[in-house]
Amino acid sequence: MTDLHRLSIREMTEGLKSAQFSSRELTQHYLNRIAHIDTQVHSYITVTAEQALAQADAADVVLKAGNAPVLTGVPIAHKDIFCTQGIKTTAGSKILDNFISPYDATVVAKGKVAGLVTLGKVNMDEFAMGSTSENSFYGATANPWNLSHVPGGSSGGSAAAVAADLAPFATGTDTGGSIRQPASFCGLTGLKPTYGRVSRFGMIAYASSLDQGGPMARSAEDCAYLMNVMAGHDAKDSTSVEKDVDNYVTNLNATSVKGLRIGIPKQYFNVAGLDADVKARVEESLKKLEEMGATLVEIDLNMTESYVPTYYLIAPAEASSNLQRYDGVRYGYRCENPVDLTDLYKRSRSEGFGKEVQQRILIGTYALSAGYYDAYYVKAQKVRRLIQQDFLKAFESVDVIAAPSAPTTAYKIGANLSPTEMYLGDIYTLAVNLAGLPAINAPVGFDQNNLPVGLQLIGNYWSESQLLSVVHQYQQATDWHTKRAAIAEENA
Ligand code: GLN
């Protein structure tokens, strides 16, 4: 079969179970596509072909025996921020270019138990800092919709791999938008879960109070399958929450769009820099939801202007602390011929980290330093609480909140925006992480250059099922999520 990559995850599980094709055939099919098409997209840092085929063969044995877990034999790509035992894990950085993890991240381990086959590790901005995936030591990834544009970031490799059909779904992480924005730029569905829903154990830390892993796929249904694997309490992550996990797949029709109250924040649709096509597509999608029975309610989110400054203090502060461990002593890159310990630290870190990461370490260290701690870090924490309260107040009168995922469609590769311009592009995603809320991106059409536009729906705590369900119903009534980039139509 030449079109296995066109199947949904559910169709794949059915085909595997009824032996229409084997996991080896399916896996080989994706490996062929990666070999032929990823030379143009550059979504993978590491392809683990041999291991993938071995896992596929093992999956085929389990499938034959019957009673296999539902996803047995389905391939996946992992963002290179998740530790994989015996396989290089770089976080997009030179400083981890030689790092082979001695253990699996919980998300990866759960994937193995579920029978998933790992195709490889996909590209990302260094330590997840960025919005284009250009901050990777391993080079830029191309957007499958237009190869001269970025796929977004930081989970740009995950998004590009799925959008080019080089993986049926992928893991991503979201600290300030890194699942939702690349999903938006590549025409995919991506879910950022409530903080604490998915284990962070073995997920290389950027900003620990904001980081959260989640699924990226073509549809809400495909995301639901992966969420069933990823979600759940983990004793190895003290911030993971002990709370029952929904069955996200069987819940796909649990929430009705009929009667759903969708909050439209006044402040969000007047943001300078909101592209006219993006605004139009998002408004059309809201109109569609209204036709399906939802009520649109205008709401206030008064703290909108504080999102960018607050996040860009807190995230670098946590990063400066988290990244202290890369010192050239224990693991990772070490400079040549250090003259003494200080020289070893200094040169290993200045040679091993890229420019954006160094910039954030400097800003974060400054914000945490004795004389400035109260003025910057403590103040930012107070504003963070106000942002959260703003959302809690809004959820008293609405069920979900709608927004664009990003003010624009995908930038051109090499556009070289200033940090301020780049950071302003995160305006719609950052607050969700600061408040710890769940949010989802769904594709809702294209701009005049045929680049995808995304709608973001933000839910109250633990409302992942509801978000997936609403998007699933929207996707039953529309076909934006079925559109494929020309490169995905190519056969390997
Ligand atoms: N673009 C944001 C940043 O650069 C968010 C990244 C993320 O979510 N990892 O920090």
Side-chain angles (χ1 to χ4, degrees):
M1 268 195 247
T2 53
D3 54 0
L4 290 173
H5 57 279
R6 296 188 135 271
L7 301 177
S8 71
I9 296 295
R10 180 170 46 77
E11 291 164 340
M12 268 179 208
T13 65
E14 287 164 2
L16 286 164
K17 208 144 270 177
S18 58
Q20 286 170 47
F21 46 84
S22 64
S23 175
R24 174 172 266 266
E25 282 170 277
L26 183 62
T27 303
Q28 189 63 61
H29 180 78
Y30 276 101
L31 291 172
N32 291 348
R33 290 185 62 79
I34 294 166
H36 287 91
I37 295 171
D38 207 37
T39 48
Q40 298 171 70
V41 180
H42 306 292
S43 58
Y44 281 82
I45 294 178
T46 306
V47 180
T48 51
E50 229 170 89
Q51 255 156 309
L53 290 171
Q55 284 179 345
D57 287 342
D60 283 329
V61 172
V62 176
L63 280 162
K64 259 202 199 105
N67 277 331
V70 61
L71 288 174
T72 304
V74 176
I76 189 168
H78 286 300
K79 183 175 181 178
D80 209 14
I81 201 165
F82 288 101
C83 285
T84 40
Q85 187 174 14
I87 299 168
K88 187 162 93 158
T89 299
T90 69
S93 183
K94 177 181 176 183
I95 216 157
L96 287 176
D97 190 41
N98 60 4
F99 177 60
I100 299 200
S101 171
Y103 62 91
D104 278 329
T106 295
V107 161
V108 173
K110 285 180 148 200
K112 283 185 180 170
V113 172
L116 291 171
V117 170
T118 304
L119 295 166
K121 308 291 296 290
V122 282
N123 201 14
M124 54 180 285
D125 286 301
E126 185 176 5
F127 287 103
M129 297 178 195
S131 306
T132 65
S133 299
E134 290 169 294
N135 297 340
S136 168
F137 173 66
Y138 303 91
T141 294
N143 187 316
W145 288 93
N146 183 329
L147 298 177
S148 60
H149 287 249
V150 303
S154 67
S155 312
S158 308
V162 176
D165 283 326
L166 306 177
F169 53 18
T171 52
T173 64
D174 192 312
T175 302
S178 280
I179 287 175
R180 292 160 284 156
Q181 183 257 26
S184 173
F185 281 14
C186 291
L188 302 175
T189 309
L191 174 71
K192 182 264 170 205
T194 308
Y195 184 79
R197 180 75 294 180
V198 170
S199 169
R200 293 186 299 108
F201 179 77
M203 194 179 107
I204 293 175
Y206 160 16
S208 308
S209 76
L210 304 163
D211 298 341
Q212 189 63 199
M216 300 174 75
R218 290 207 172 270
S219 65
E221 185 185 77
D222 290 359
C223 281
Y225 276 97
L226 186 48
M227 227 358 230
N228 273 357
V229 175
M230 296 178 81
H233 175 249
D234 179 10
K236 292 181 186 148
D237 170 6
S238 62
T239 63
S240 107
V241 174
E242 262 185 271
K243 190 175 167 50
D244 285 348
V245 180
D246 293 334
N247 183 328
Y248 301 100
V249 175
T250 53
N251 271 358
L252 279 168
N253 290 308
T255 306
S256 174
V257 173
K258 222 184 176 97
L260 187 80
R261 297 165 304 169
I262 304 180
I264 313 291
K266 261 190 254 165
Q267 292 79 355
Y268 280 26
F269 290 82
N270 294 321
V271 162
L274 173 56
D275 179 89
D277 281 350
V278 172
K279 188 170 186 221
R281 291 305 91 76
V282 167
E283 284 173 351
E284 286 158 19
S285 70
L286 292 170
K287 199 144 193 270
K288 178 77 198 171
L289 286 163
E290 208 176 13
E291 279 167 30
M292 292 168 66
T295 322
L296 307 185
V297 185
E298 202 176 69
I299 58 163
D300 269 308
L301 286 176
N302 290 309
M303 298 298 294
T304 306
E305 281 181 8
S306 314
Y307 297 170
V308 175
T310 306
Y311 172 89
Y312 278 101
L313 265 167
I314 291 176
E318 294 187 17
S320 75
S321 164
N322 274 326
L323 270 55
Q324 282 180 29
R325 70 189 72 168
Y326 307 104
D327 55 9
V329 177
R330 285 162 289 191
Y331 57 93
Y333 176 79
R334 175 178 297 179
C335 68
E336 301 271 346
N337 309 317
V339 295
D340 57 23
L341 190 61
T342 309
D343 186 47
L344 169 73
Y345 289 156
K346 271 195 187 164
R347 282 203 294 122
S348 298
R349 288 169 66 82
S350 35
E351 292 165 19
F353 287 134
K355 190 167 154 268
E356 182 69 24
V357 172
Q358 292 192 26
Q359 196 165 289
R360 295 197 193 192
I361 293 173
L362 288 174
I363 291 170
T365 307
Y366 181 80
L368 290 176
S369 58
Y372 298 99
Y373 184 84
D374 288 337
Y376 293 113
Y377 185 70
V378 172
K379 191 163 177 197
Q381 291 290 22
K382 289 180 178 164
V383 179
R384 178 178 187 172
R385 176 52 64 97
L386 294 176
I387 292 169
Q388 182 201 29
Q389 283 170 354
D390 227 15
F391 279 103
L392 291 180
K393 185 153 180 290
F395 283 122
E396 285 172 12
S397 55
V398 297
D399 303 305
V400 296
I401 295 171
S405 285
T408 66
T409 54
Y411 318 111
K412 270 213 140 99
I413 291 177
N416 222 353
L417 302 183
S418 71
T420 328
E421 289 170 309
M422 190 64 86
Y423 298 168
L424 279 172
D426 297 333
I427 178 120
Y428 294 119
T429 48
L430 303 175
V432 161
N433 303 74
L434 290 167
L437 294 165
I440 194 166
N441 176 76
V444 293
F446 297 86
D447 71 359
Q448 56 193 336
N449 302 315
N450 200 37
L451 288 165
V453 172
L455 162 73
Q456 179 181 203
L457 292 176
I458 303 166
N460 209 336
Y461 296 103
W462 318 110
S463 67
E464 289 80 7
S465 269
Q466 181 191 37
L467 294 175
L468 289 165
S469 182
V470 170
V471 171
H472 178 64
Q473 283 162 71
Y474 174 82
Q475 292 179 338
Q476 299 304 104
T478 56
D479 63 358
W480 298 117
H481 66 293
T482 66
K483 306 281 183 211
R484 280 178 150 78
I487 201 166
E489 302 285 3
E490 279 178 29
N491 282 325

